[in-house]
Amino acid sequence: MNDLDFDCTMCGKCCHGLRLALTVDEARAWLRRGGRVELMCEAIPWPVEPAAENREAQYRRARSFPAASGTLPVRIAVLLVATFDGACPNLGADMRCGIYHERPLVCRIYPAEINPFVVLAPANKGCPPDAWQGTPMIRHGQLIDSEVQASIDQARAASARDVSIKAQLCAALGVEHAALANEGFVTYAPESDVLLAALDATADEMHDKAHDHRHTPATQWNVISNRHETVETLTSVGALAAPPATTHAYGYLGFFAATPAS
Ligand code: SF4
Ligand code: SF4
């Protein structure tokens, strides 16, 4: 990774119209403050277990739970994301965070990356060009700021720890559709009180079994894609695949233009 310098300009862009990935505990706190939280689901085809030395696959494995789509083994990754249009509800008129000392880890980390396999690229960030100068941020591939690094370590630990709760949460809410990974996300937006009650019940139950890391037994998931060729390919290998349906209680965020059946 190239060396980078960075000084936040306090432009506030990262506090506007973004989806903030939250830990389970952060999602509960966000909902209690009256904020909105959605689920973003993706399915990763997992026909065979990767080699132990495949660190990137093992990273994904630790942050997903096993399931099946038809006869195709998959792993399901679920994000809990705070959603808001325009300014974050916690952003003050002076562009300062109103919950600074309790702000989510992702806010403490931005613009650095949590995923160790994603290279930080200024072009992919909302920060203005003049932010990328000044204080040394990365040297020899290492973040200089130990507090940011500690937040990244916490976020990585939480995303692995939260997997069991997310598996149980999906079962409790009847969430069973996911987008094909790297093509987009299926989103669920339950009513806030329903989601908070389900999260509280699931998290409390799992915390009672603090050292029980078993996941929910594999259940059947539907893999959603807006690309006809993807649906055909998945179906040919035994998956339950379909294009996004307007009759279901989910949304679809695709990274690519839809290709309908001809
Ligand atoms: S919680 Fe605070 S730092 Fe995070 S997006 Fe909202 S205003 Fe910005
Ligand atoms: S977008 Fe970048 S420069 Fe602007 S407030 Fe956020 S971290 Fe700072």
Side-chain angles (χ1 to χ4, degrees), residues 160-168 202-217:
R161 191 175 61 236
D162 286 348
V163 167
S164 296
I165 296 174
K166 290 176 178 176
Q168 300 283 358
T202 309
D204 289 346
E205 184 187 331
M206 298 305 291
H207 286 161
D208 287 345
K209 306 183 212 167
H211 302 293
D212 181 353
H213 295 301
R214 286 171 299 176
H215 301 310
T216 311

Side-chain angles (χ1 to χ4, degrees), residues 22-27 62-65 78 80 154-169 199 202-203 206-207 213 215:
L22 304 174
T23 68
V24 165
D25 288 342
E26 289 170 348
R63 286 156 185 82
S64 56
F65 55 87
V78 177
L80 289 165
Q154 277 185 54
R156 288 177 186 163
S159 60
R161 191 175 61 236
D162 286 348
V163 167
S164 296
I165 296 174
K166 290 176 178 176
Q168 300 283 358
L169 179 71
L199 266 174
T202 309
M206 298 305 291
H207 286 161
H213 295 301
H215 301 310

Side-chain angles (χ1 to χ4, degrees), residues 43-222:
I44 313 161
W46 209 264
V48 292
E49 285 297 329
E53 56 269 29
N54 185 342
R55 290 178 54 241
E56 187 166 358
Q58 295 297 342
Y59 183 85
R60 294 211 91 185
R61 189 182 191 288
R63 286 156 185 82
S64 56
F65 55 87
S69 177
T71 55
L72 178 70
V74 295
R75 293 190 73 88
I76 304 295
V78 177
L79 293 175
L80 289 165
V81 290
T83 58
F84 44 85
D85 293 326
C88 171
N90 300 304
L91 187 66
D94 59 356
M95 289 291 155
R96 291 187 182 278
C97 175
I99 57 164
Y100 187 77
H101 295 292
E102 293 96 45
R103 68 197 191 288
L105 287 168
V106 69
C107 302
R108 298 165 194 255
I109 291 166
Y110 195 88
E113 297 287 355
I114 294 174
N115 186 326
F117 301 99
V118 175
V119 176
L120 170 54
N124 297 338
K125 301 293 173 177
C127 309
D130 57 341
W132 300 100
Q133 57 191 13
T135 306
M137 179 188 191
I138 293 176
R139 290 291 181 272
H140 311 296
Q142 298 295 318
L143 277 170
I144 301 290
D145 190 322
S146 58
E147 279 187 29
V148 174
Q149 186 58 57
S151 293
I152 290 172
D153 294 343
Q154 277 185 54
R156 288 177 186 163
S159 60
R161 191 175 61 236
D162 286 348
V163 167
S164 296
I165 296 174
K166 290 176 178 176
Q168 300 283 358
L169 179 71
C170 289
L173 293 173
V175 168
E176 55 185 23
H177 294 77
L180 180 66
N182 302 321
E183 277 200 357
F185 290 97
V186 161
T187 63
Y188 283 85
E191 290 301 320
S192 294
D193 56 339
V194 172
L195 179 55
L196 180 57
L199 266 174
D200 283 349
T202 309
D204 289 346
E205 184 187 331
M206 298 305 291
H207 286 161
D208 287 345
K209 306 183 212 167
H211 302 293
D212 181 353
H213 295 301
R214 286 171 299 176
H215 301 310
T216 311
T219 53
Q220 284 292 331
W221 280 69
N222 301 281

Side-chain angles (χ1 to χ4, degrees), residues 6-15 110-111 125-128 131-132:
F6 181 77
D7 273 327
C8 176
T9 64
M10 302 281 287
C11 71
K13 202 168 169 191
C14 58
C15 302
Y110 195 88
K125 301 293 173 177
C127 309
W132 300 100

